[in-house]
Amino acid sequence: MAKPPKFQAIRGTRDLLPPETALWNRVEENARHVFGTFGFGEIRPPVFEPTELFARAVGGETDIVSKEMYTFADQTGQSEEASSLATRHSPLATSISLRPEATASVCRAYIEHNMQQLPQPQKLYYLGPMFRRERPQKGRYRQFYQIGAEVLGGSDAPAIDAEVIEMVMTFFNRLQLPGVQLDVNSIGHAADNCRRGYVAALKSALEKVKDKLGADSQRRIETNPLRVLDSKLEHEQPIIETLPRIADHLCDDCKAHYAAVKCQLELRGVLYKENWRLVRGLDYYMRTTFEITAQGLGSQNAVCGGGRYDGLVELLGGPPTKGIGFAIGEDRLILSLLEGLKSQGGSPNSPLAAGHSPLVYIAWMGEHVCATAIRAAKDLRNAGFSVELPPTEQKFGKALERASKLGSRYALILGDNEVAEGSWTLKTLADGSQQKFTEPELLEFLRSSRG
Ligand code: ATP
Ligand code: MG
């Protein structure tokens, strides 16, 4: 038989391994907890959807839809046997895509399950993998994870925008994410004298400086002039500073809404920075937009993007519905947390230190001891302590060596004598000290030292 190839995870994907996964779990537990305190419930949409859903929601012209989606043909209305390789590319095939983001799915679910008939607004959050065929680099992967939330239905009261932002900031504070900065902006709405007026003014100002702009920005003057404001090119910065600003073009309603959002953020003690260059290129995004950056991420420093999208549910065939949401890049969030831990020299309270080391290593030896060791492991685990029980007996010296290697705090020594006496020896590995306990005393001791 041919030698098997050396398999590797596909470019842009990666394995998340312990002990780092302990941090991922801690982050996700905190998200669930914090979002729960704000009255959000979890939604778990599928990871693939009709391509058409993303084309409509995200926009066919965007990079995401036009070149980054993992799209393939699937059969509809046929039995599984019929979907052999030969027919897989038949005209009956529907195009499906791995989700590049989840807002479209949440809106689809809102419509599909008639959630507008439930109490409004519906507050939903999700966690899970997203897929985009981008150039892999630090903080940018082809399978990456987002934690996001959406508020659908109800009113567009500025307090809702502010509460959604307050919720993300509360979550980040709880994680002690280093160097958090919140930027906010209002991009008006699609009506004539608001964003359309601004885009027209921006376009004509851009035409005048076209020669000084790079190729990307030149192209965007036609396709999506707002995206020029996003440019990171050094030589374009002084030019961009002279361009018209959206704040001067907002209609009275949008102006009032934006002022009220800022006032609401202040009431909630949320620090923000206004950033007139913060835009979202898609038509259905409107009014409030925000982005949160964190430390230690290089140029991929955005950990969260969000905004209001009152037109989206309708665009997907639902009733007119208010909407606002955000998506956090969990991979970047974790990278930033790890950088923060590193710069603190990995404090003993760090979530990684908690890791997956067993608290107690059971060093057992002797034919009659096996049953007691098994029972001790069961009782300690039931009481919530992590225990390593070696499958076969080991000489005590070997056992202690392995216990320290695993990072255990204690070794529970069980030999024939201990079992006969009913008094067990607990060795603290850090200083070698030993104490004798009956089983109930041992549990009591471990509980009280848990702190
Ligand atoms: P960026 O400008 O960094 O490409 P984006 O505008 O594409 O971000 P969104 O689509 O708003 O980002 O997604 C929200 C968040 O998801 C981003 O702020 C980022 O943290 C994360 N994210 C987006 N794409 C990736 C990716 N390919 N790998 C890892 N995280 C990502
Ligand atoms: Mg992107």
Coordinates of all heavy atoms in Angstrom, one line a residue, residues 122-196:
Q122 N -36.8 41.1 19.5 CA -36.2 39.8 19.8 C -34.7 40.0 19.9 O -34.0 40.7 19.1 CB -36.4 38.8 18.6 CG -37.8 38.2 18.7 CD -38.0 37.3 19.8 OE1 -37.4 36.2 19.9 NE2 -38.9 37.6 20.7
K123 N -34.1 39.5 21.0 CA -32.7 39.7 21.3 C -32.0 38.4 21.2 O -32.2 37.5 22.0 CB -32.5 40.4 22.7 CG -33.3 41.7 22.8 CD -32.7 42.6 23.9 CE -33.5 42.4 25.2 NZ -33.0 43.4 26.2
L124 N -31.1 38.2 20.2 CA -30.5 36.9 20.0 C -29.0 37.0 19.9 O -28.5 38.0 19.4 CB -31.0 36.4 18.6 CG -32.6 36.2 18.6 CD1 -33.0 36.0 17.1 CD2 -33.0 35.0 19.4
Y125 N -28.3 36.0 20.4 CA -26.9 36.0 20.2 C -26.5 34.6 19.6 O -27.2 33.6 19.7 CB -26.1 36.3 21.5 CG -26.1 35.2 22.5 CD1 -25.1 34.2 22.5 CD2 -27.0 35.1 23.5 CE1 -25.1 33.1 23.4 CE2 -27.0 34.1 24.5 CZ -26.1 33.1 24.4 OH -26.1 32.1 25.3
Y126 N -25.3 34.6 19.0 CA -24.8 33.3 18.4 C -23.3 33.2 18.6 O -22.6 34.3 18.9 CB -25.1 33.3 16.9 CG -24.5 34.4 16.1 CD1 -23.2 34.4 15.7 CD2 -25.2 35.6 15.9 CE1 -22.6 35.4 15.0 CE2 -24.7 36.7 15.2 CZ -23.4 36.6 14.8 OH -22.8 37.7 14.2
L127 N -22.8 32.0 18.5 CA -21.3 31.8 18.6 C -21.0 30.7 17.5 O -21.8 29.8 17.4 CB -20.8 31.3 19.9 CG -21.4 31.5 21.2 CD1 -21.1 30.4 22.2 CD2 -20.8 32.8 21.8
G128 N -19.9 30.8 16.8 CA -19.6 29.7 15.9 C -18.7 30.1 14.8 O -18.3 31.3 14.7
P129 N -18.3 29.1 14.0 CA -17.3 29.4 12.9 C -18.0 30.1 11.7 O -19.1 29.8 11.4 CB -16.9 27.9 12.5 CG -18.1 27.1 12.9 CD -18.7 27.7 14.1
M130 N -17.2 30.9 11.1 CA -17.5 31.6 9.8 C -16.4 31.2 8.8 O -15.3 30.9 9.2 CB -17.6 33.1 10.0 CG -18.5 33.6 11.1 SD -20.2 33.2 10.8 CE -20.8 33.2 12.5
F131 N -16.7 31.4 7.5 CA -15.7 31.0 6.5 C -15.6 32.0 5.4 O -16.6 32.4 4.8 CB -16.2 29.7 5.9 CG -16.5 28.6 6.9 CD1 -17.8 28.5 7.5 CD2 -15.6 27.7 7.3 CE1 -18.1 27.6 8.5 CE2 -15.8 26.7 8.2 CZ -17.1 26.6 8.8
R132 N -14.4 32.5 5.2 CA -14.1 33.4 4.1 C -12.7 33.1 3.5 O -11.8 32.9 4.3 CB -14.0 34.9 4.7 CG -15.3 35.4 5.3 CD -15.2 36.8 5.7 NE -16.3 37.2 6.6 CZ -16.5 38.3 7.2 NH1 -15.5 39.3 7.1 NH2 -17.5 38.6 8.0
R133 N -12.7 33.0 2.2 CA -11.4 32.7 1.6 C -10.6 33.9 1.4 O -10.5 34.5 0.4 CB -11.7 32.0 0.2 CG -10.4 31.3 -0.4 CD -10.6 30.8 -1.8 NE -11.4 29.6 -1.9 CZ -12.7 29.5 -2.3 NH1 -13.3 30.6 -2.6 NH2 -13.3 28.4 -2.3
E134 N -10.0 34.4 2.5 CA -9.1 35.6 2.5 C -7.7 35.1 2.6 O -7.4 34.0 2.8 CB -9.4 36.4 3.8 CG -10.9 36.9 3.9 CD -11.1 37.9 4.9 OE1 -10.7 39.1 4.6 OE2 -11.5 37.6 6.0
R135 N -6.8 36.1 2.5 CA -5.4 35.8 2.6 C -5.0 35.5 4.1 O -5.1 36.5 4.9 CB -4.5 36.9 2.0 CG -3.0 36.5 1.8 CD -2.3 37.5 1.0 NE -2.1 38.7 1.8 CZ -1.1 38.8 2.8 NH1 -0.3 37.8 3.1 NH2 -1.0 40.0 3.5
P136 N -4.6 34.3 4.4 CA -4.4 34.0 5.9 C -3.2 34.8 6.4 O -2.2 35.0 5.7 CB -4.1 32.5 5.9 CG -4.6 32.0 4.6 CD -4.5 33.1 3.6
Q137 N -3.3 35.4 7.5 CA -2.2 36.1 8.2 C -2.6 36.2 9.7 O -3.7 35.7 10.1 CB -2.1 37.5 7.6 CG -3.3 38.3 7.5 CD -3.3 39.5 6.6 OE1 -2.5 40.4 6.9 NE2 -4.0 39.4 5.5
K138 N -1.8 36.8 10.5 CA -2.1 36.9 11.9 C -3.5 37.6 12.1 O -3.7 38.7 11.6 CB -1.0 37.8 12.6 CG -1.3 37.9 14.1 CD -0.3 38.8 14.8 CE -0.7 39.0 16.3 NZ 0.2 39.9 17.0
G139 N -4.4 36.9 12.8 CA -5.7 37.5 13.0 C -6.6 37.4 11.9 O -7.7 38.0 11.9
R140 N -6.2 36.7 10.8 CA -7.1 36.6 9.7 C -7.0 35.1 9.2 O -6.0 34.6 8.8 CB -6.7 37.5 8.5 CG -7.8 37.7 7.5 CD -7.4 38.8 6.4 NE -7.4 40.1 6.9 CZ -8.5 40.8 7.2 NH1 -9.7 40.3 7.1 NH2 -8.4 42.1 7.6
Y141 N -8.1 34.4 9.3 CA -8.2 33.0 8.9 C -9.3 32.7 8.0 O -10.2 33.5 7.8 CB -8.3 32.2 10.2 CG -7.4 32.6 11.3 CD1 -7.8 33.4 12.3 CD2 -6.0 32.2 11.2 CE1 -6.9 33.9 13.3 CE2 -5.1 32.6 12.2 CZ -5.6 33.4 13.2 OH -4.7 33.8 14.2
R142 N -9.3 31.5 7.4 CA -10.4 31.1 6.5 C -11.5 30.5 7.2 O -12.7 30.6 6.8 CB -9.8 30.3 5.4 CG -8.9 31.1 4.5 CD -8.3 30.3 3.3 NE -7.7 31.2 2.4 CZ -7.1 30.9 1.3 NH1 -7.0 29.6 0.9 NH2 -6.6 31.8 0.5
Q143 N -11.2 29.8 8.3 CA -12.3 29.5 9.2 C -12.0 30.2 10.5 O -10.9 30.1 11.1 CB -12.3 28.0 9.6 CG -13.3 27.7 10.7 CD -13.6 26.2 10.9 OE1 -13.4 25.4 10.1 NE2 -14.0 25.9 12.1
F144 N -12.8 31.1 10.9 CA -12.6 31.9 12.1 C -13.9 31.9 12.9 O -15.0 31.4 12.4 CB -12.2 33.3 11.8 CG -13.2 34.1 10.9 CD1 -14.0 35.1 11.6 CD2 -13.3 34.0 9.6 CE1 -14.9 35.8 10.8 CE2 -14.2 34.7 8.8 CZ -15.0 35.6 9.4
Y145 N -13.9 32.4 14.1 CA -15.1 32.3 14.9 C -15.6 33.7 15.3 O -14.8 34.6 15.6 CB -14.7 31.6 16.2 CG -14.4 30.1 15.9 CD1 -13.1 29.8 15.4 CD2 -15.3 29.1 16.0 CE1 -12.8 28.5 15.0 CE2 -15.0 27.8 15.7 CZ -13.8 27.5 15.2 OH -13.5 26.2 14.9
Q146 N -16.9 33.8 15.3 CA -17.5 35.1 15.7 C -18.5 34.8 16.9 O -19.1 33.8 17.0 CB -18.3 35.7 14.6 CG -17.4 36.4 13.6 CD -18.1 37.2 12.5 OE1 -19.3 36.9 12.3 NE2 -17.5 38.1 11.9
I147 N -18.6 35.8 17.7 CA -19.6 35.9 18.8 C -20.4 37.1 18.4 O -19.8 38.2 18.4 CB -19.0 36.0 20.2 CG1 -18.0 34.9 20.5 CG2 -20.0 36.1 21.2 CD1 -17.3 35.0 21.8
G148 N -21.6 37.0 18.2 CA -22.4 38.1 17.7 C -23.8 38.2 18.4 O -24.2 37.2 19.0
A149 N -24.4 39.3 18.2 CA -25.8 39.5 18.7 C -26.6 40.4 17.8 O -26.0 41.3 17.2 CB -25.7 40.0 20.2
E150 N -27.9 40.2 17.8 CA -28.8 41.1 17.0 C -30.0 41.4 17.8 O -30.5 40.6 18.6 CB -29.2 40.3 15.7 CG -28.2 39.5 15.0 CD -27.1 40.2 14.2 OE1 -27.3 41.5 14.1 OE2 -26.1 39.6 13.8
V151 N -30.5 42.6 17.6 CA -31.8 43.0 18.2 C -32.7 43.3 17.0 O -32.4 44.2 16.2 CB -31.6 44.3 19.1 CG1 -33.0 44.7 19.6 CG2 -30.6 44.1 20.2
L152 N -33.7 42.5 16.9 CA -34.6 42.6 15.8 C -36.0 43.0 16.2 O -36.6 42.4 17.1 CB -34.6 41.3 15.0 CG -33.3 41.0 14.3 CD1 -33.3 39.5 13.8 CD2 -33.1 41.9 13.1
G153 N -36.6 43.9 15.5 CA -38.0 44.3 15.8 C -38.0 45.4 16.9 O -37.0 45.8 17.3
G154 N -39.2 45.8 17.2 CA -39.4 46.9 18.2 C -39.0 48.2 17.6 O -39.2 48.4 16.4
S155 N -38.5 49.1 18.4 CA -38.3 50.5 17.9 C -36.8 50.7 17.5 O -36.0 49.8 17.7 CB -38.7 51.5 18.9 OG -37.7 51.6 19.9
D156 N -36.5 51.9 17.0 CA -35.1 52.2 16.8 C -34.6 53.2 17.8 O -33.8 54.1 17.5 CB -34.9 52.8 15.4 CG -35.7 54.0 15.1 OD1 -36.4 54.5 16.0 OD2 -35.6 54.6 14.0
A157 N -35.2 53.1 19.0 CA -34.8 54.0 20.1 C -33.3 54.0 20.3 O -32.6 53.0 20.3 CB -35.5 53.6 21.4
P158 N -32.7 55.2 20.4 CA -31.2 55.3 20.6 C -30.7 54.5 21.8 O -29.6 54.0 21.8 CB -31.0 56.8 20.8 CG -32.2 57.5 20.2 CD -33.3 56.5 20.3
A159 N -31.6 54.3 22.8 CA -31.2 53.5 23.9 C -30.9 52.1 23.6 O -30.0 51.4 24.2 CB -32.3 53.5 25.0
I160 N -31.5 51.6 22.5 CA -31.2 50.2 22.1 C -29.8 50.1 21.5 O -29.0 49.2 21.8 CB -32.2 49.7 21.0 CG1 -33.6 49.7 21.7 CG2 -31.9 48.4 20.4 CD1 -34.7 49.2 20.8
D161 N -29.4 51.1 20.7 CA -28.1 51.1 20.1 C -27.1 51.2 21.3 O -26.1 50.5 21.3 CB -27.9 52.4 19.2 CG -28.9 52.5 18.1 OD1 -30.1 52.3 18.4 OD2 -28.6 52.8 17.0
A162 N -27.4 52.1 22.2 CA -26.4 52.3 23.3 C -26.3 51.0 24.2 O -25.2 50.7 24.6 CB -26.8 53.5 24.2
E163 N -27.5 50.4 24.4 CA -27.4 49.2 25.2 C -26.6 48.0 24.6 O -25.9 47.3 25.3 CB -28.8 48.7 25.6 CG -28.8 47.7 26.7 CD -30.2 47.2 27.1 OE1 -30.8 46.5 26.4 OE2 -30.6 47.5 28.3
V164 N -26.8 47.9 23.3 CA -26.0 46.9 22.6 C -24.5 47.1 22.7 O -23.7 46.2 23.0 CB -26.5 46.8 21.1 CG1 -25.4 46.1 20.2 CG2 -27.8 46.2 20.9
I165 N -24.1 48.4 22.6 CA -22.7 48.7 22.7 C -22.3 48.5 24.1 O -21.2 48.0 24.4 CB -22.5 50.2 22.2 CG1 -22.8 50.3 20.7 CG2 -21.1 50.6 22.5 CD1 -22.8 51.7 20.2
E166 N -23.1 48.9 25.1 CA -22.8 48.8 26.5 C -22.5 47.3 26.8 O -21.6 46.9 27.5 CB -23.9 49.3 27.4 CG -23.6 49.2 28.9 CD -24.9 49.4 29.7 OE1 -26.0 49.7 29.2 OE2 -24.8 49.4 30.9
M167 N -23.4 46.4 26.2 CA -23.2 45.0 26.4 C -21.9 44.5 25.9 O -21.2 43.7 26.7 CB -24.4 44.2 25.7 CG -24.3 42.7 25.9 SD -25.9 42.0 25.4 CE -25.5 41.6 23.7
V168 N -21.4 44.8 24.7 CA -20.1 44.4 24.3 C -19.0 44.9 25.2 O -18.1 44.2 25.5 CB -19.7 44.9 22.9 CG1 -18.6 44.1 22.3 CG2 -20.9 44.9 21.9
M169 N -19.1 46.2 25.6 CA -18.1 46.8 26.4 C -18.0 46.1 27.8 O -17.0 45.9 28.3 CB -18.3 48.3 26.5 CG -18.1 49.0 25.2 SD -16.5 48.8 24.5 CE -15.6 50.1 25.3
T170 N -19.2 45.7 28.3 CA -19.3 45.0 29.6 C -18.6 43.7 29.5 O -17.8 43.3 30.3 CB -20.7 44.8 30.0 OG1 -21.4 46.1 30.0 CG2 -20.8 44.1 31.4
F171 N -18.8 43.0 28.4 CA -18.2 41.7 28.1 C -16.7 41.9 28.0 O -15.9 41.1 28.7 CB -18.8 41.2 26.8 CG -18.1 39.9 26.3 CD1 -17.9 38.8 27.1 CD2 -17.7 39.9 24.9 CE1 -17.3 37.7 26.6 CE2 -17.2 38.7 24.4 CZ -16.9 37.6 25.2
F172 N -16.2 42.9 27.3 CA -14.7 43.1 27.1 C -14.1 43.5 28.5 O -13.0 43.0 28.8 CB -14.5 44.1 26.1 CG -14.7 43.6 24.7 CD1 -14.7 44.5 23.6 CD2 -14.8 42.3 24.4 CE1 -14.9 44.1 22.3 CE2 -15.0 41.8 23.1 CZ -15.0 42.7 22.0
N173 N -14.8 44.3 29.2 CA -14.3 44.7 30.6 C -14.1 43.5 31.5 O -13.2 43.3 32.2 CB -15.2 45.7 31.3 CG -15.1 47.1 30.7 OD1 -14.1 47.4 30.1 ND2 -16.1 47.9 30.9
R174 N -15.1 42.6 31.4 CA -15.1 41.5 32.3 C -13.9 40.6 31.9 O -13.4 39.9 32.8 CB -16.4 40.7 32.0 CG -17.0 40.0 33.2 CD -18.2 39.3 32.8 NE -18.3 38.0 33.5 CZ -19.0 37.9 34.6 NH1 -19.7 38.9 35.1 NH2 -19.1 36.8 35.3
L175 N -13.6 40.5 30.6 CA -12.4 39.7 30.2 C -11.1 40.4 30.4 O -10.1 39.9 30.2 CB -12.6 39.4 28.7 CG -13.7 38.5 28.3 CD1 -13.8 38.3 26.8 CD2 -13.6 37.1 29.0
Q176 N -11.2 41.7 30.8 CA -10.0 42.6 31.0 C -9.2 42.6 29.7 O -8.0 42.5 29.7 CB -9.2 42.1 32.1 CG -9.9 42.2 33.5 CD -9.0 41.7 34.6 OE1 -8.6 40.5 34.6 NE2 -8.8 42.6 35.6
L177 N -9.9 42.7 28.6 CA -9.3 42.9 27.3 C -8.4 44.1 27.3 O -8.9 45.2 27.6 CB -10.4 43.0 26.2 CG -9.9 43.0 24.7 CD1 -9.3 41.6 24.4 CD2 -11.1 43.2 23.8
P178 N -7.1 44.0 26.9 CA -6.2 45.1 27.0 C -6.4 46.1 25.8 O -6.6 45.8 24.7 CB -4.9 44.5 26.9 CG -5.0 43.2 26.2 CD -6.4 42.8 26.5
G179 N -6.3 47.4 26.2 CA -6.3 48.5 25.2 C -7.6 48.6 24.3 O -7.5 48.9 23.2
V180 N -8.7 48.5 25.0 CA -10.0 48.5 24.2 C -10.3 50.0 23.8 O -10.2 50.9 24.6 CB -11.1 48.0 25.1 CG1 -12.5 48.2 24.4 CG2 -10.9 46.6 25.4
Q181 N -10.6 50.2 22.6 CA -11.1 51.5 22.1 C -12.3 51.4 21.3 O -12.4 50.6 20.3 CB -10.0 52.2 21.3 CG -10.5 53.6 21.0 CD -9.5 54.4 20.1 OE1 -8.3 54.5 20.5 NE2 -9.9 54.9 19.0
L182 N -13.3 52.1 21.6 CA -14.6 52.1 20.9 C -14.7 53.3 20.0 O -14.6 54.5 20.5 CB -15.8 52.1 21.9 CG -17.2 52.5 21.4 CD1 -17.7 51.4 20.5 CD2 -18.1 52.6 22.6
D183 N -14.9 53.1 18.7 CA -15.1 54.2 17.8 C -16.6 54.2 17.4 O -17.1 53.1 17.1 CB -14.3 54.1 16.5 CG -12.8 54.5 16.8 OD1 -12.4 54.6 18.0 OD2 -12.1 54.7 15.8
V184 N -17.3 55.3 17.3 CA -18.6 55.4 16.9 C -18.8 56.4 15.8 O -18.0 57.3 15.6 CB -19.7 55.7 18.0 CG1 -19.6 54.7 19.1 CG2 -19.4 57.1 18.6
N185 N -19.8 56.2 15.0 CA -20.2 57.2 13.9 C -21.6 57.0 13.6 O -22.3 56.0 13.9 CB -19.3 56.9 12.7 CG -19.3 58.0 11.7 OD1 -19.7 59.2 12.0 ND2 -19.0 57.7 10.4
S186 N -22.2 57.9 12.8 CA -23.5 57.7 12.2 C -23.3 57.9 10.7 O -22.7 58.9 10.3 CB -24.5 58.7 12.8 OG -25.7 58.6 12.0
I187 N -23.9 57.0 10.0 CA -23.7 57.1 8.5 C -25.1 57.5 7.9 O -25.3 57.3 6.7 CB -23.2 55.8 7.9 CG1 -24.0 54.6 8.3 CG2 -21.7 55.6 8.3 CD1 -23.7 53.4 7.4
G188 N -26.0 58.0 8.7 CA -27.2 58.5 8.1 C -28.1 57.4 7.6 O -27.9 56.2 7.9
H189 N -29.1 57.7 6.8 CA -29.9 56.7 6.2 C -29.9 56.9 4.7 O -29.5 57.9 4.2 CB -31.3 56.6 6.8 CG -32.1 57.7 6.6 ND1 -33.5 57.6 6.2 CD2 -31.9 59.1 6.7 CE1 -34.0 58.8 6.1 NE2 -33.1 59.7 6.4
A190 N -30.5 56.0 4.0 CA -30.4 55.9 2.5 C -31.2 57.1 1.8 O -31.0 57.2 0.6 CB -30.8 54.6 2.0
A191 N -32.0 57.8 2.5 CA -32.9 58.8 1.8 C -32.0 59.9 1.2 O -30.8 60.1 1.5 CB -33.8 59.4 2.8
D192 N -32.7 60.6 0.3 CA -32.0 61.6 -0.6 C -31.0 62.5 0.1 O -29.9 62.6 -0.3 CB -33.1 62.4 -1.3 CG -33.7 61.5 -2.4 OD1 -33.1 60.4 -2.7 OD2 -34.7 61.9 -2.9
N193 N -31.6 63.3 1.0 CA -30.7 64.4 1.5 C -29.8 64.0 2.6 O -29.1 64.8 3.2 CB -31.6 65.6 1.9 CG -32.3 66.1 0.7 OD1 -31.7 66.2 -0.3 ND2 -33.5 66.5 0.9
C194 N -29.8 62.7 2.9 CA -28.9 62.3 4.0 C -27.7 61.6 3.5 O -26.8 62.3 3.0 CB -29.8 61.4 4.9 SG -29.1 61.2 6.6
R195 N -27.7 60.3 3.4 CA -26.5 59.6 2.9 C -26.3 59.9 1.5 O -25.1 60.0 1.0 CB -26.4 58.2 3.3 CG -25.1 57.6 2.9 CD -24.7 56.4 3.6 NE -25.4 55.2 3.1 CZ -26.1 54.5 3.9 NH1 -26.3 54.8 5.2 NH2 -26.7 53.4 3.5
R196 N -27.3 59.8 0.7 CA -27.2 60.0 -0.8 C -26.5 61.3 -1.1 O -25.6 61.4 -2.0 CB -28.5 59.8 -1.5 CG -28.3 58.9 -2.7 CD -29.6 58.4 -3.3 NE -30.2 57.3 -2.5 CZ -31.5 56.9 -2.7 NH1 -32.3 57.6 -3.4 NH2 -31.9 55.9 -2.0

